[in-house]
Amino acid sequence: MSTAKIIEPQTGAAFKMNKGDILTVIDPMGQQVSDMVLFNSDDQREKISAGKTMDFEECILLTEGNFLWSNRSHKMMEIIEDTNGRNDILLAPCSAETFRIMYKNPEEHPSCLTNLHQNLESYGIDMDAIPTAFNIFMNVQFSALGKLKVLPPTSKAGDLVRFKAHMDLIVGLTACSAEDSNAGTFKPIHFLVTKEQATTTR
Amino acid sequence: MSTAKIIEPQTGAAFKMNKGDILTVIDPMGQQVSDMVLFNSDDQREKISAGKTMDFEECILLTEGNFLWSNRSHKMMEIIEDTNGRNDILLAPCSAETFRIMYKNPEEHPSCLTNLHQNLESYGIDMDAIPTAFNIFMNVQFSALGKLKVLPPTSKAGDLVRFKAHMDLIVGLTACSAEDSNAGTFKPIHFLVTKEQATTTR
């Protein structure tokens, strides 16, 4: 059994996984968001598309049983387990400008976009190529009129989301850096990549 | 006074406009969607981002007074008039796979993605670079549980949406090709690019 890898608060990670592998993303302390972006490792111009995902899944809220789709209309991942049940695919990764424009904070601030870029750079993926993420554990509420509000995550310590890869992937993953998304505190995210068989014996 | 340009049913167009110019998109017959994508004409890696737009506008439903934002967190366009009031920014342009997977139609079918690509190709923009569009007149309903349903547009003949460019742009625009989005029939879209002064005298 492998041990979980740790993404320290307000940082990120990037890694490869093969078709069939299982990724488990764990919120070890509760109320911590993790932004995830996906690229086809054979051709990085193919990547997760929030628009195509909502199109094919016919839903804004994605959980166990839903798929994450690419801009080329291929299934990239399947959500095979979700102990919390609230994730977001509407909002883009927080960036330096998020804090400058929305938080009125002109100071240097870590962000998911920067953390994704710093980790994905070694795979030749530049900042502009980073798409809207699947925001694991993120609690974005929408009214009937479409007004959006970011609330603290409902995830508790130990909640996890498990994904099965449907193609060979490069994955970017963060422990999100935005105050409002994480109940005002910054916590780590744990993750684990295992072979398919490993999870059938749990 | 310039005359409107015509996008024939199930086709598209691409054109440049300068900062300050006004784009008017007209539904001449009613109940016809037009997908619009935007690129910074000085650097096409900067383009419309649905995720960043919903982030900064804090809303899914965008109309008069809202801005369309780029992946670099810059304002690309401002919606300065909207006589219909229902547009969509959730769903990706319909593609060959939309009809194969969702409509169970394996036959060749025109699509917004193909039409955008064919028109944007001369500006050096490839298929993979085409992002989720701002879908003018598109009527996507969402339930409290996030379930999505595409209904016929509420637009009537002559309804229009007017946009002011906040940077120099390359614009891709379609008369949408998807049955469900357009009440089962395919109609043209008209558009007009004018200088800022032209609209202050209307």
Side-chain angles (χ1 to χ4, degrees), chain A residues 51-52 54-56 58-61 71-73 90 92-93 95 97-98 102 128 132 142-143 145-146 148, chain B residues 45 51-52 54-56 58-61 71-73 90 92-93 95 97-98 102 128 132 142-143 145-146 148:
Chain A
K52 276 293 174 200
M54 286 187 275
D55 226 343
F56 288 125
E58 302 184 36
C59 199
I60 293 173
L61 296 173
N71 56 336
R72 293 184 189 166
S73 297
L90 296 175
S95 61
E97 297 82 8
T98 308
M102 302 190 72
D128 288 318
T132 293
F142 44 89
S143 72
L145 295 174
L148 295 172
Chain B
R45 292 170 305 177
K52 276 292 174 200
M54 286 187 275
D55 226 343
F56 289 125
E58 301 182 39
C59 199
I60 294 173
L61 296 172
N71 57 336
R72 293 185 189 164
S73 297
L90 297 176
S95 61
E97 297 81 9
T98 307
M102 301 190 73
D128 288 319
T132 294
F142 44 90
S143 73
L145 294 174
L148 296 172

Side-chain angles (χ1 to χ4, degrees), chain A residues 43-114:
Chain A
D43 184 347
Q44 299 159 13
R45 292 170 305 177
E46 178 165 19
K47 54 188 164 185
I48 187 170
S49 163
K52 276 293 174 200
T53 296
M54 286 187 275
D55 226 343
F56 288 125
E57 298 301 309
E58 302 184 36
C59 199
I60 293 173
L61 296 173
L62 306 168
T63 183
E64 206 170 302
N66 287 118
F67 293 87
L68 303 178
W69 294 74
S70 77
N71 56 336
R72 293 184 189 166
S73 297
H74 296 134
K75 291 174 179 171
M76 301 191 92
M77 271 185 167
E78 180 181 355
I79 307 176
I80 57 172
E81 189 175 355
D82 183 355
T83 65
N84 173 51
R86 185 88 192 191
N87 309 291
D88 171 67
I89 197 160
L90 296 175
L91 300 186
C94 62
S95 61
E97 297 82 8
T98 308
F99 300 102
R100 193 169 46 75
I101 299 172
M102 302 190 72
Y103 287 69
K104 318 281 183 219
N105 175 3
E107 316 225 326
E108 187 73 20
H109 193 295
S111 75
C112 283
L113 187 61
T114 304

Side-chain angles (χ1 to χ4, degrees), chain B residues 182-198:
Chain B
N182 303 293
T185 57
F186 305 116
K187 288 103 30 198
I189 284 290
H190 293 178
F191 73 95
L192 201 63
V193 178
T194 48
K195 294 290 159 197
E196 191 163 7
Q197 295 90 316

Side-chain angles (χ1 to χ4, degrees), chain B residues 7-12 32-35 93-96 98-99 103 105 108-116 138 174-187 189:
Chain B
I7 302 177
E8 297 295 345
Q10 298 190 296
T11 71
Q32 177 60 43
V33 168
S34 175
D35 282 18
C94 62
S95 61
T98 307
F99 300 102
Y103 286 69
N105 176 4
E108 186 73 23
H109 193 295
S111 75
C112 283
L113 188 61
T114 305
N115 286 328
L116 288 168
M138 190 172 188
T174 70
C176 173
S177 297
E179 281 79 352
D180 288 356
S181 305
N182 303 293
T185 57
F186 305 116
K187 288 103 30 198
I189 284 290

Side-chain angles (χ1 to χ4, degrees), chain B residues 164-175:
Chain B
K164 180 176 173 180
H166 278 246
M167 62 172 70
D168 294 347
L169 294 170
I170 298 165
V171 180
L173 201 64
T174 70

